[in-house]
Amino acid sequence: MRMTVTMFLLGLLYVAFVAALVVLLKSWVLVVVVAAGMLGAQYWFSDRIALFAMRGRVVEREEYPELHAVIDRLCALADMPKPVVAVSEMDMPNAFATGRNPDNAVVCVTTGLLRRLEPAELEGVLAHELSHVAHKDVAVITIASFLGVIAGLIVRFAFYSQLFGGGRRDQNTAVVFAAVMGVSAAVYAISFLLIRALSRYRELAADRAAALLTGRPSALASALTKVTGDIARIPSKDLRTAQAFNAFYFTPALGAEPGVARIFSTHPSLEQRLEQLGRISGELGEAATPGRAG
């Protein structure tokens, strides 16, 4: 909950920063350029930022032949380009994918995940991450986040064009400014919740695509149960750094008792994910051979 509140306050700080730019620079064009620059940096460099933050490094086939072999096979089944393969020297079992499109993507796994999972389980996790790449989920979430910012900017521009138009300034300036900030905060709050709902939907979609691609939803369910249980046993203080990147992960670093934080989670609950995989298992009859995801 503290992490969620912190993220929310950081978002409000960003809103206040953009509003202050409009007031100080008196140029909505310049603010749009700045905001577009921020979006561009996030869009183009998200993979490098994520790898740096999670201490991931690119690994070649000679160093991790089995990991490369699984990704090669899944990419062939999914008919998609092979992403860059990376490994993070972290004991926390997890994986993430990032990149603006399938041609510029990275799939990273932690050494903790590699140590804990059986081959079929690892295949399910990697299929999940490759689904995010194939469906351009990183770009979708980035654009969705930016739309919330743009909505707030449009509201502010409308107010300020009236407020500062023709060089007029009156005693109601402070009141109008407070109203603008209130609207901006409301827009951000709504987008904050909607983006997390969208992220949960994309996680369920990635689970489904992975189950269909491998033909073994039970292996993915086993990996989910194992990883979630192991993360829950990690001391909370060791999860704090990782929690800032929950949106990237295969399963979030929420600790043993996330409580109300589930409302703001970027991922569905373990129960929801296992229930869906159970239905898919019934649909497929747990086929012995992998199938192609639709």
Side-chain angles (χ1 to χ4, degrees):
M1 184 61 182
R2 285 194 297 269
M3 291 297 296
T4 301
V5 171
T6 300
M7 291 170 59
F8 185 79
L9 291 176
L10 286 174
L12 289 181
L13 180 62
Y14 176 74
V15 169
F17 170 70
V18 174
L21 284 180
V22 174
V23 174
L24 295 174
L25 301 178
K26 303 179 180 64
S27 171
W28 66 267
V29 174
L30 181 57
V31 174
V32 167
V33 171
V34 171
M38 293 178 178
L39 172 65
Q42 182 181 356
Y43 184 76
W44 288 95
F45 302 113
S46 61
D47 53 345
R48 300 177 193 177
I49 293 171
L51 271 183
F52 176 79
M54 297 311 301
R55 304 192 302 274
R57 61 183 181 86
V58 176
V59 296
E60 301 301 330
R61 184 183 302 276
E62 294 74 18
E63 191 173 0
Y64 284 88
E66 295 179 3
L67 177 60
H68 273 269
V70 174
I71 293 178
D72 284 338
R73 176 173 172 274
L74 291 172
C75 287
L77 283 172
D79 191 23
M80 62 180 289
K82 182 181 179 181
V84 173
V85 181
V87 170
S88 173
E89 299 288 339
M90 296 178 63
D91 185 57
M92 181 186 72
N94 228 317
F96 67 88
T98 184
R100 60 187 181 275
N101 56 49
D103 293 316
N104 297 275
V106 177
V107 170
C108 180
V109 298
T110 67
T111 52
L113 186 81
L114 294 176
R115 284 196 300 270
R116 288 171 170 86
L117 297 190
E118 298 297 326
E121 295 170 338
L122 177 62
E123 181 184 59
V125 172
L126 291 173
H128 172 101
E129 297 305 329
L130 288 173
S131 173
H132 281 309
V133 172
H135 298 149
K136 303 179 181 178
D137 286 341
V138 173
V140 169
I141 296 298
T142 299
I143 293 172
S145 302
F146 190 64
L147 289 178
V149 176
I150 288 297
L153 288 175
I154 291 174
V155 173
R156 285 191 293 275
F157 295 158
F159 273 104
Y160 284 121
S161 64
Q162 294 296 322
L163 182 62
F164 296 108
R168 293 176 54 196
R169 290 180 174 80
D170 55 39
Q171 59 185 358
N172 294 323
T173 296
V175 175
V176 174
F177 180 80
V180 170
M181 288 304 299
V183 171
S184 301
V187 169
Y188 175 77
I190 294 171
S191 65
F192 181 88
L193 296 175
L194 291 178
I195 290 163
R196 274 147 186 76
L198 175 62
S199 178
R200 292 193 292 271
Y201 295 146
R202 298 314 306 154
E203 290 299 328
L204 287 173
D207 282 349
R208 180 172 182 81
L212 295 176
L213 182 64
T214 63
R216 286 181 285 189
S218 63
L220 180 57
S222 176
L224 271 168
T225 303
K226 186 180 293 186
V227 170
T228 302
D230 284 351
I231 287 178
R233 287 191 288 271
I234 295 175
S236 297
K237 63 183 180 63
D238 295 332
L239 294 177
R240 287 172 185 166
T241 300
Q243 284 175 336
F245 301 93
N246 273 345
F248 288 100
Y249 287 142
F250 168 63
T251 189
L254 291 177
E257 296 180 1
V260 74
R262 286 193 184 278
I263 301 173
F264 306 106
S265 179
T266 54
H267 290 63
S269 68
L270 175 63
E271 293 75 18
Q272 286 178 288
R273 298 175 79 173
L274 293 180
E275 181 182 356
Q276 175 182 250
L277 290 172
R279 291 196 303 268
I280 297 172
S281 181
E283 295 170 3
L284 294 179
E286 197 69 13
T289 57
R292 284 287 301 275

